[in-house]
Amino acid sequence: MRIYTMHDGRMDAILERFSKHTLGIFERLEMKVTDLWIDQTGIPKLYYVMEYKDMEEGQQQWDTFRNDPEWNEVKRKSEESGPILEKMDVIYMNRADFFKG
Protein backbone atom coordinates (compact mmCIF):
# COMPACT_ATOMS: atom_id res chain seq x y z
CA MET A 1 0.00 0.00 0.00
CA ARG A 2 1.24 3.47 -0.82
CA ILE A 3 -0.15 6.55 0.90
CA TYR A 4 0.62 9.94 -0.61
CA THR A 5 0.03 13.14 1.32
CA MET A 6 0.04 16.21 -0.91
CA HIS A 7 1.18 19.74 -0.22
CA ASP A 8 -1.69 22.21 0.26
CA GLY A 9 -3.45 22.95 -3.00
CA ARG A 10 -1.76 20.11 -4.91
CA MET A 11 -4.42 17.38 -4.75
CA ASP A 12 -5.76 18.24 -8.21
CA ALA A 13 -2.21 17.98 -9.59
CA ILE A 14 -1.73 14.42 -8.29
CA LEU A 15 -5.17 13.34 -9.53
CA GLU A 16 -4.44 14.73 -12.98
CA ARG A 17 -1.00 13.12 -13.05
CA PHE A 18 -2.42 9.73 -12.03
CA SER A 19 -5.44 9.81 -14.34
CA LYS A 20 -3.62 11.09 -17.41
CA HIS A 21 -0.15 9.57 -17.04
CA THR A 22 0.91 7.50 -14.02
CA LEU A 23 -1.63 4.69 -14.35
CA GLY A 24 -0.81 4.32 -18.04
CA ILE A 25 2.92 4.14 -17.29
CA PHE A 26 2.25 1.55 -14.60
CA GLU A 27 0.26 -0.50 -17.12
CA ARG A 28 3.00 -0.25 -19.76
CA LEU A 29 5.58 -1.39 -17.19
CA GLU A 30 3.23 -4.21 -16.04
CA MET A 31 2.87 -2.78 -12.54
CA LYS A 32 -0.47 -3.97 -11.13
CA VAL A 33 -2.60 -1.49 -9.16
CA THR A 34 -5.39 -3.42 -7.44
CA ASP A 35 -7.22 -0.48 -5.86
CA LEU A 36 -7.01 3.29 -5.49
CA TRP A 37 -8.80 5.64 -3.11
CA ILE A 38 -9.08 9.36 -2.46
CA ASP A 39 -9.55 10.48 1.14
CA GLN A 40 -13.21 11.48 1.56
CA THR A 41 -12.66 13.78 4.56
CA GLY A 42 -10.87 16.44 2.52
CA ILE A 43 -7.37 15.54 3.70
CA PRO A 44 -5.12 15.70 0.60
CA LYS A 45 -4.28 11.99 0.53
CA LEU A 46 -4.26 9.31 -2.12
CA TYR A 47 -4.13 5.62 -1.18
CA TYR A 48 -3.41 2.76 -3.52
CA VAL A 49 -2.51 -0.91 -3.39
CA MET A 50 -0.16 -2.66 -5.78
CA GLU A 51 0.36 -6.38 -6.19
CA TYR A 52 3.76 -8.07 -6.51
CA LYS A 53 4.71 -11.72 -6.29
CA ASP A 54 7.31 -10.74 -3.66
CA MET A 55 9.19 -7.71 -2.30
CA GLU A 56 12.06 -8.22 -4.76
CA GLU A 57 9.69 -7.90 -7.72
CA GLY A 58 8.21 -4.76 -6.16
CA GLN A 59 11.64 -3.19 -5.73
CA GLN A 60 12.60 -4.06 -9.33
CA GLN A 61 9.38 -2.57 -10.69
CA TRP A 62 9.88 0.68 -8.75
CA ASP A 63 13.51 0.92 -9.89
CA THR A 64 12.33 0.55 -13.50
CA PHE A 65 9.57 3.12 -12.96
CA ARG A 66 11.89 5.70 -11.36
CA ASN A 67 14.26 5.42 -14.33
CA ASP A 68 11.55 5.55 -17.00
CA PRO A 69 12.07 8.56 -19.33
CA GLU A 70 8.33 9.15 -19.82
CA TRP A 71 7.75 9.16 -16.04
CA ASN A 72 10.63 11.55 -15.43
CA GLU A 73 9.27 14.00 -18.01
CA VAL A 74 5.71 13.76 -16.62
CA LYS A 75 7.00 14.33 -13.08
CA ARG A 76 9.12 17.30 -14.17
CA LYS A 77 6.23 18.97 -16.00
CA SER A 78 3.69 18.32 -13.25
CA GLU A 79 5.97 19.88 -10.65
CA GLU A 80 6.83 23.07 -12.57
CA SER A 81 4.65 25.05 -10.16
CA GLY A 82 6.06 23.25 -7.10
CA PRO A 83 6.35 19.81 -5.56
CA ILE A 84 3.21 17.72 -5.23
CA LEU A 85 4.07 15.16 -2.56
CA GLU A 86 4.67 16.25 0.99
CA LYS A 87 4.99 12.69 2.33
CA MET A 88 4.92 9.14 1.02
CA ASP A 89 4.32 6.05 3.16
CA VAL A 90 5.03 2.61 1.72
CA ILE A 91 3.67 -0.44 3.53
CA TYR A 92 4.30 -4.03 2.46
CA MET A 93 1.58 -6.48 3.52
CA ASN A 94 0.45 -10.07 3.03
CA ARG A 95 -3.24 -10.98 3.05
CA ALA A 96 -4.16 -13.01 6.12
CA ASP A 97 -4.69 -16.66 5.11
CA PHE A 98 -7.98 -16.85 7.03
CA PHE A 99 -9.55 -13.75 5.38
CA LYS A 100 -12.03 -14.64 2.63
CA GLY A 101 -12.86 -11.06 1.49
Side-chain angles (χ1 to χ4, degrees):
M1 172 178 266
R2 298 175 78 86
I3 303 169
Y4 293 172
T5 304
M6 271 51 75
H7 286 286
D8 287 337
R10 300 297 282 155
M11 189 66 183
D12 287 343
I14 195 74
L15 296 177
E16 181 175 337
R17 188 162 82 183
F18 259 77
S19 66
K20 292 184 178 178
H21 304 285
T22 306
L23 291 175
I25 296 169
F26 284 168
E27 186 175 338
R28 175 173 51 80
L29 298 176
E30 299 180 358
M31 297 173 73
K32 185 178 179 183
V33 177
T34 61
D35 217 333
L36 189 145
W37 302 276
I38 298 165
D39 195 285
Q40 70 171 305
T41 66
I43 297 170
K45 286 192 176 206
L46 181 75
Y47 309 82
Y48 64 104
V49 175
M50 300 191 77
E51 184 178 306
Y52 319 106
K53 83 177 167 189
D54 54 35
M55 286 183 66
E56 182 179 338
E57 179 186 70
Q59 293 297 330
Q60 290 173 346
Q61 287 183 354
W62 282 103
D63 288 345
T64 300
F65 177 77
R66 281 189 285 275
N67 292 305
D68 184 77
E70 180 184 359
W71 162 246
N72 283 296
E73 181 63 12
V74 165
K75 184 177 186 305
R76 184 191 67 74
K77 284 184 177 179
S78 66
E79 293 183 343
E80 285 177 344
S81 60
I84 295 175
L85 288 183
E86 179 179 314
K87 179 182 174 191
M88 175 176 51
D89 296 303
V90 178
I91 304 161
Y92 286 90
M93 303 174 290
N94 289 316
R95 182 173 300 275
D97 292 337
F98 57 84
F99 183 70
K100 304 295 183 200

